[in-house]
């Protein structure tokens, strides 16, 4: 078979201006909020041009790896729909994937909001003594002040010793948060539904003794160790036994 001669791609220029002039003849309306401006990069259009370059293995000209391209219009990577948000405190432009500024004023406000949120959680929390049966049944406790194990600890002595070592001259906290835990569980219905994905429509309905499978899964799951995972729970505040 005779190899066909290489035909170089034909470069054409799309008349983008004519199209955009027609569809955008009345311009783009932007209802800017107080702390917003038009993106200076795309001039508020929300558009940018990108290149998809490529090469051809049978191209006799090897001077460039990717000599050809297809240009097309994409969303501007500096804004959302042609609009940039500004920090309400320092007026700095916020990056596209950022909603909070790192200026001193913004960080101070965020810290105050966090304190208020923690205060609300504290006011709603059920206060327990450390030797309360509910507290003892938790197995773990949580505090942002505990520097190890992402703030989770099991022994009060560990927490108290670390606090005294790290904060000898600071006011002692009175409470830490409780926790709840989750273990490995398997759902027979979900497993069977997934197994029947490629079977006929009535397959799942024709399966008998689903409860038997669930009982087997429950027994197997109970044998597993090391899967228990703890999460902080602001429903309970546990008093620290200083």
């Amino acid at each position: 078979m005779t190899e066909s001669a290489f035909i170089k791609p034909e470069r054409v220029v799309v008349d983008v201006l004519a199209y955009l002039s027609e569809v955008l003849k009345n311009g783009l309306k932007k209802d800017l909020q107080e702390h917003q401006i038009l993106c200076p990069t795309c001039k508020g259009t929300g558009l940018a041009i990108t290149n998809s370059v490529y090469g051809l293995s049978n191209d006799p000209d090897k001077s460039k790896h990717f000599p050809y391209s297809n240009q097309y219009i994409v969303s501007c990577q500096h804004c959302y729909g042609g609009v940039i948000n500004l920090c309400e405190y320092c007026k700095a432009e916020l990056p596209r994937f950022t909603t909070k500024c790192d200026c001193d004023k913004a960080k101070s406000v965020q810290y105050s909001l966090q304190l208020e949120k923690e205060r609300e959680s504290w006011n709603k929390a059920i206060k327990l003594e450390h030797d309360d049966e509910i507290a003892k049944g938790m197995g773990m406790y949580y505090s942002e002040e505990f520097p190890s194990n992402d703030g989770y600890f099991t022994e009060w002595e560990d927490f108290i010793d670390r606090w005294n070592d790290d904060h000898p001259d600071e006011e002692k906290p009175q409470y830490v948060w409780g926790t709840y835990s989750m273990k490995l569980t398997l759902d027979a219905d979900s497993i069977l539904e997934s197994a029947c994905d490629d079977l006929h429509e009535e397959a799942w309905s024709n399966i008998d003794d689903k409860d038997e499978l669930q009982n087997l899964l429950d027994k197997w799951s109970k044998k597993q160790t090391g899967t228990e995972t703890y999460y902080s729970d602001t429903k309970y505040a546990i008093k620290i036994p200083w």
Side-chain angles (χ1 to χ4, degrees), residues 134-143 148-155 177-184 225-234 236 238:
I134 295 178
K136 290 192 296 184
M138 291 178 182
M140 271 196 172
Y141 312 99
Y142 173 79
S143 172
S148 302
N149 197 32
D150 294 327
Y152 293 89
F153 63 95
T154 57
E155 301 295 333
W177 294 118
T179 63
Y180 67 92
S181 63
M182 297 179 64
K183 297 181 180 180
L184 174 69
T225 59
T227 67
E228 193 165 13
T229 303
Y230 288 84
Y231 300 90
S232 61
D233 185 3
T234 56
Y236 295 103
I238 319 300

Side-chain angles (χ1 to χ4, degrees), residues 35-37 84-96 98-104 106:
H35 303 293
Q36 292 181 331
I37 61 171
I84 284 182
N85 294 316
L86 302 178
C87 172
E88 61 182 298
Y89 307 107
C90 71
K91 308 306 179 184
E93 294 182 9
L94 298 180
R96 189 181 185 201
T98 304
T99 58
K100 297 180 178 64
C101 185
D102 61 357
C103 70
D104 291 341

Side-chain angles (χ1 to χ4, degrees), residues 60-96:
D61 183 0
K62 304 300 183 183
S63 61
K64 295 181 179 179
H65 290 295
F66 304 105
Y68 311 110
S69 69
N70 285 321
Q71 290 186 323
Y72 56 96
I73 297 175
V74 296
S75 297
C76 176
Q77 298 300 300
H78 298 87
C79 64
Y80 288 105
V83 176
I84 284 182
N85 294 316
L86 302 178
C87 172
E88 61 182 298
Y89 307 107
C90 71
K91 308 306 179 184
E93 294 182 9
L94 298 180
R96 189 181 185 201

Side-chain angles (χ1 to χ4, degrees), residues 4 7-8 11 15 28-29 47 67 78 88 95 101 116 120 122 128 133 144 147 154 163 170 189 194 199 207 213 215:
S4 59
I7 300 177
K8 189 174 183 177
R11 174 161 293 181
D15 188 1
L28 291 172
K29 184 179 73 173
L47 303 176
H78 298 87
E88 61 182 298
C101 185
E116 180 61 27
E120 291 178 0
W122 159 252
L128 300 176
E133 290 301 320
E144 292 182 354
T154 57
W163 175 269
E170 296 184 24
D189 285 345
S194 178
L199 305 181
I207 297 175
L213 175 58
N215 291 333

Side-chain angles (χ1 to χ4, degrees), residues 31-56:
D31 293 324
L32 299 179
Q33 300 178 49
E34 183 178 0
H35 303 293
Q36 292 181 331
I37 61 171
L38 294 179
C39 174
T41 301
C42 67
K43 311 305 181 186
T45 64
L47 303 176
I49 294 178
T50 190
N51 282 322
S52 176
V53 298
Y54 68 96
L56 296 171

